[in-house]
Amino acid sequence: MTLAAALMVSVAHAPAWAQQEPVRIGVLTDMSGQFSHEAGEGSVAAVSMAVEDFGGEVLGRKIEVLVSDHQNKPELAVSTAQEWYESRGVNLIANLINSGIALAVAGVAAEHDGIAIVNGSGSSKLTGEGCTPHSIHYAYDTYSLAVGTARELANQGHKNWFFLTADYAFGHALEADASAIVTKLGGALEGSIRYPIETTDHSSFMLQAMASPADVVAIAGSGTTFINAVKSAGEFGLGDSGKTLAGLLVWLTDTHSLGLEAAQGMILTNAFYWDRDDETRAFSARFAERIGRPPHMGDAGDYSSTLHYLKAVEAAGSTDADAVMAKMRETPVDDFFAKGGVIREDGRMVHDMYVYQVKSPDESTGEWDVYKLVNVIPGEEAFRPLSESACPLVKK
């Protein structure tokens, strides 16, 4: 037999997926910067676990996971997304931490018949004026974070707010959504300061916050900027001044980095906690074996949404974005992350949210035992109603 004939026989008997382009999922995230603890390695692990649990192939095609560090540079994220969709055959881009980047890449997905699922970023603009037919905002958003935390603090009698806001898309959206909720609850807005996200010295900002008549100082930021601001609040004695510190986005990894001594008593809203029930504990144990810590809501959302996507591809019998999006919308999300979750026409995945309080050191029984449940917010109350949506895809 000639070499050419042998190769023809080999190809003829190869698995079906070996003769086709793989289904490719790109994880576009922050692998090295200030948001890497909220995404990065965890998001890659979560997406990879979902692919493995699905069986590694779909429609007879192998599933590949690509990874790229966007370095928090929108122009780099956009060029990577364009290359992935146009030249690398990527079908889905996942994670997308950093709201400015998520908004930009959602637009690229819409232009290239691709899908973008956001778990890392929170700006509610993603399902407002920035919505697209091919993007999904999955784990949380600024509206749901504000609803949970502002309501709980209002119930405790804390209604006058001052904002320390990180000066980028996510921080602006978080302040805007929280301000609207505070006002609706009869509270007062006593002022705000916007600071560069690279800021490490919050002393001047903190002094202005402490001089305000507000009883709540809310930090509208994420990642290293949030951690530095909380530490600064402790150093300046904010808690002793009678003011309450509110973290409007607090990741599990943030609480762990701060330590319970510094973070105890803080009220926060979250989409997922590893110790919520038997299902969350089972997934979290597997995840922790992989990277050495429990998952937070971004990790859990990346896993859940990737699995939901792959099930939709299988049900649609195609990777065509419109067909897959239709299947994702018509099929409820029912797993350890969410029960009866629904993807609306604006791309918002609606599910329950949870209000937690950070435990004191005496209450904790282990390194990652940090939250106690305060309240459950039903999905229909947690997220912005469609009647108030600015998404052009929503029929009113």
Side-chain angles (χ1 to χ4, degrees), residues 122-124 141-143 145-146 150 161-183 189-195 218-221 248-249 384:
S123 175
S124 58
D141 63 20
T142 51
Y143 184 94
L145 297 178
W161 288 49
F162 186 96
F163 290 89
L164 293 179
T165 302
D167 194 11
Y168 70 123
F170 169 76
H172 301 170
L174 192 49
E175 179 185 338
D177 284 335
S179 296
I181 298 297
V182 169
T183 302
L189 306 176
E190 303 291 356
S192 68
I193 296 172
R194 291 184 174 177
Y195 58 87
I219 301 175
L248 291 177
L249 172 57
R384 191 187 309 277

Side-chain angles (χ1 to χ4, degrees), residues 84-142:
W84 275 359
Y85 286 134
E86 292 174 359
S87 306
R88 301 295 300 277
V90 167
N91 306 99
L92 163 68
I93 295 181
N95 188 256
L96 294 169
I97 199 163
N98 185 316
S99 290
I101 283 171
L103 287 160
V105 173
V108 176
E111 294 170 0
H112 292 84
D113 196 32
I115 292 176
I117 302 182
V118 181
N119 277 291
S121 303
S123 175
S124 58
K125 287 185 178 181
L126 284 157
T127 52
E129 55 266 44
C131 74
T132 82
H134 291 171
S135 56
I136 298 171
H137 204 183
Y138 202 84
Y140 74 99
D141 63 20
T142 51

Side-chain angles (χ1 to χ4, degrees), residues 127-131 346 384-394 396:
T127 52
E129 55 266 44
C131 74
D346 62 347
R384 191 187 309 277
L386 286 176
S387 61
E388 298 177 7
S389 176
C391 173
L393 302 174
V394 175
K396 297 183 180 178

